[in-house]
Amino acid sequence: MIVGPLVGGTLVGAAGPRAVFGLNVASFLMSALLIWRIPGEFSEARGSTPRGAVLVADLPLVDHFDGRAVGYMLLTTLWG
């Protein structure tokens, strides 16, 4: 959490904001290209079991602490 702003501030100071925004655009396009190249089918039929990370502890945890809507909002906000 400290390293990112430090590196960003150093880059802006050294190269200027236009160069840093250009670097940000280039990194975004590179990420999009790499994601686009991943083979596979990404749409699933309705009712199928999801694969990957699923937050299964949200609702039971909120119910356990009697959180209701505000507790759920705080839990999902602080989850990271």
Side-chain angles (χ1 to χ4, degrees), residues 1-62:
M1 295 189 123
I2 294 173
V3 175
L6 179 67
V7 170
T10 303
L11 284 173
V12 169
R18 292 190 82 163
V20 176
F21 278 115
L23 182 63
N24 190 25
V25 168
S27 70
F28 175 80
L29 291 175
M30 180 58 78
S31 296
L33 177 69
L34 291 173
I35 290 171
W36 180 65
R37 292 186 48 170
I38 297 173
E41 183 74 28
F42 291 104
S43 61
E44 296 181 12
R46 287 189 163 203
S48 65
T49 305
R51 293 178 290 173
V54 178
L55 301 178
V56 294
D58 283 352
L59 290 176
L61 192 58
V62 171

